[in-house]
Amino acid sequence: MTEQTAPARESLASVLGGRKGALDASLPPAAFVIGWLAADQSIRWGSIAAIAVAVVVGAIRLARGDKARAVVVSLAMVIAAALIALHTGRAEDFFLIQVLSNVASALLWAASVAVRWPLLGVVVGLLLGQKARWRRDPALLRSYSWATLTWSGQYVLRVVVYLPLYWAAQVEALAAARLILTWPLQALTIAVSGWVLYKTLPAGHPGLRLSPEAKKATEDPRT
């Protein structure tokens, strides 16, 4: 009976989902480079290849039940990247949005900790239907803050790798880095942040769920 008093902790990976979306995101950049090389470094054909692959990937994602909005956003990002490269005439500019988005993400995730709204807690709280109630659990708030810094580090690592390759116009290397630093790095980040999260929680805490004390506080109409 005593073993039943401590609820089983959910893994962070089970809540955040799989890696298919991240893997799919690396396919259009790879198609861009392949089309670019096959057509004698033609940005036009590289862009056509990337958009075509993005459309196919989007159709597959819709067929397997992904949200239409997420598919449209992914396709729009590929089209925007292609338009930028076509406008500047620089193949490496196909990756410019990715570089800038990682800079912004690194800053945003770090800033969320500073203002005591760690983004990992925001995301998991929404997925679990907790909304912002998890912030009333001091232990969970602290652990989400440490784990969120792990996610910020993920984006910093990408920027450190992408920027020198972008400045050196290493298009093939950028595509390879994008592949390596997409779903493999995301899977590693989920695993490490999950370990950090549970390592910093006190013994007996239910994990991603609220502690009994915090749960009672959120249900108390006087609070």
Side-chain angles (χ1 to χ4, degrees):
M1 294 296 293
T2 57
E3 295 180 354
Q4 295 178 356
T5 58
R9 290 179 167 184
E10 297 166 283
S11 71
L12 187 61
S14 66
V15 174
L16 294 180
R19 60 194 183 191
K20 290 181 179 179
L23 178 59
D24 291 347
S26 65
L27 296 179
F32 173 83
V33 174
I34 292 172
W36 177 70
L37 290 173
D40 194 22
Q41 299 189 356
S42 169
I43 296 176
R44 176 186 175 188
W45 283 105
S47 299
I48 291 173
I51 294 172
V53 169
V55 170
V56 172
V57 168
I60 294 173
R61 290 178 62 185
L62 287 174
R64 71 188 184 202
D66 287 13
K67 293 183 179 179
R69 181 168 58 183
V71 172
V72 171
V73 169
S74 297
L75 179 58
M77 293 288 283
V78 174
I79 294 174
L83 290 175
I84 291 173
L86 287 168
H87 177 72
T88 63
R90 291 158 38 99
E92 62 269 24
D93 282 345
F94 182 86
F95 299 89
L96 181 59
I97 291 179
Q98 185 68 20
V99 174
L100 295 177
S101 67
N102 277 278
V103 172
S105 295
L107 294 173
L108 181 61
W109 282 72
S112 73
V113 175
V115 298
R116 296 179 60 81
W117 276 89
L119 275 179
L120 186 60
V122 174
V123 172
V124 176
L126 290 174
L127 292 175
L128 294 179
Q130 297 173 345
K131 297 182 179 179
R133 293 194 299 273
W134 54 272
R135 296 189 72 248
R136 297 193 182 185
D137 187 331
L140 201 52
L141 175 60
R142 182 177 61 252
S143 294
Y144 272 137
S145 296
W146 285 110
T148 294
L149 291 177
T150 303
W151 282 74
S152 182
Q154 167 192 207
Y155 298 114
V156 170
L157 176 59
R158 289 196 182 114
V159 172
V160 168
V161 174
Y162 289 161
L163 270 180
L165 297 176
Y166 174 77
W167 284 331
Q170 297 295 317
V171 180
E172 300 96 323
L174 276 168
R178 174 73 185 273
L179 179 62
I180 295 170
L181 297 180
T182 303
W183 72 260
L185 179 58
Q186 182 173 308
L188 178 62
T189 300
I190 292 174
V192 172
S193 61
W195 179 84
V196 169
L197 180 71
Y198 286 119
K199 188 70 174 179
T200 53
L201 282 173
H205 193 283
L208 303 180
R209 303 290 175 175
L210 301 178
S211 66
E213 296 79 8
K215 185 176 181 180
K216 183 179 179 181
T218 62
E219 295 173 349
D220 190 340
R222 295 173 297 176
T223 60

